[in-house]
Amino acid sequence: MTVGEAFAAGLGAIGTWLGCARGAARRVGEVVEGLLDVAVRRDPAPAPTPTPPSPRPVPSGGAQAEIEEAKFYLGPRPSPPSLERAPGELPRAYGHDRIVLLPRDPWWAFTYWEVTPMTRLRALRVLGAEGEGAREVLRIYDVTFITFTGDNAWLSFDIEIAPGTDYFYLNLSRSAASYLVEIGLRTPAGRFLPLARSNTITLPRPEPSPDTTVRWVRLGRHAPPTGTVAGWAGERLPTPPGPDGDSGDPWSGATRSSETHTPLRSSR
């Protein structure tokens, strides 16, 4: 092959390569052009419309009043926060040992409590072998007119509760008396181990108070109040019947629960 033929063959190969490159570039351009057409034809997302600020109130006293008002203008007020709360439920337990006693009427009270499993486990460990067959009970104490120290109640009685119970209505036959309650474990031998103690409540009277003394107080501007005691000449209202239907005179000589009596030792 002569030099001229070799040179011509080289030029032909170069031309072939250039043709292939030109074809590849044309095909890439067509693909890119198609993508651009799709992007242009797609509807753009609408831009959010800004909320125009609320106009500043214009006073009605003229230009001078508007100038004075502008001194204290702090801009538009933001909208108040929403008061809606996320939906939810109260927890079943709070992890604290407590018992609460509430009066309902002259003869009934309501109590609810929570005792953690760890507290029950420690109580069973304290009882040891005596804890076999122990029952959970409510022990109610009559503590009218006394400061309870654990064993000086006027009287006490127990109410057995079913496992898993966390509230109870107590039928208390002595109205106008003070009570508190303890929840604890009672062994078959009679030993009582308290787990929690409640607050003290006083049940209301089933009738108006027998104290009819009226105390009149005279108030002075710069002097201490002076009081005088006078009797009441009105008529008493009829007494409502008690839980057993008895509607006798409450101011007779019958003993009432608010009167003092000899204390009884608790069975603790």
Side-chain angles (χ1 to χ4, degrees), residues 8-212:
L11 291 179
I14 292 173
T16 303
W17 294 343
L18 291 177
C20 293
R22 190 183 301 109
R26 185 174 60 255
R27 288 194 294 272
V28 171
E30 292 175 356
V31 172
V32 171
E33 186 178 357
L35 293 176
L36 291 177
D37 292 341
V38 172
V40 170
R41 285 195 299 268
R42 184 177 299 169
D43 295 334
T49 303
T51 304
S54 58
R56 181 169 62 88
V58 179
S60 58
Q64 185 63 30
E66 184 176 358
I67 294 174
E68 294 295 330
E69 184 70 19
K71 295 180 180 179
F72 308 100
Y73 180 67
L74 302 178
R77 295 181 179 180
S79 58
S82 176
L83 300 180
E84 297 182 359
R85 297 181 178 179
E89 296 182 358
L90 293 176
R92 176 68 176 177
Y94 294 89
H96 301 285
D97 299 324
R98 64 178 306 207
I99 179 169
V100 179
L101 185 61
L102 302 172
R104 197 194 76 168
D105 57 37
W107 300 280
W108 287 86
F110 176 75
T111 181
Y112 65 93
W113 61 88
E114 178 186 351
V115 179
T116 61
M118 187 59 64
T119 300
R120 289 188 172 93
L121 182 59
R122 285 198 299 263
L124 291 175
R125 289 177 178 174
V126 170
L127 292 175
E130 294 183 79
E132 185 69 25
R135 299 293 301 272
E136 197 167 278
V137 300
L138 296 174
R139 177 160 291 184
I140 297 91
Y141 299 95
D142 184 347
V143 294
T144 308
F145 302 134
I146 63 175
T147 300
F148 185 62
T149 60
D151 58 354
N152 61 336
W154 300 112
L155 58 88
S156 64
F157 60 94
D158 295 345
I159 296 178
E160 291 190 3
I161 54 178
T165 306
D166 56 4
Y167 67 92
F168 202 86
Y169 283 94
L170 303 173
N171 185 3
L172 306 173
S173 59
R174 304 172 65 85
S175 60
S178 299
Y179 294 92
L180 64 83
V181 61
E182 287 182 337
I183 182 171
L185 297 178
R186 187 184 63 189
T187 66
R191 181 183 176 184
F192 178 73
L193 182 63
L195 303 177
R197 179 181 296 176
S198 76
N199 55 300
T200 302
I201 65 167
T202 300
L203 296 180
R205 292 177 176 271
E207 69 276 338
S209 173
D211 184 5
T212 58

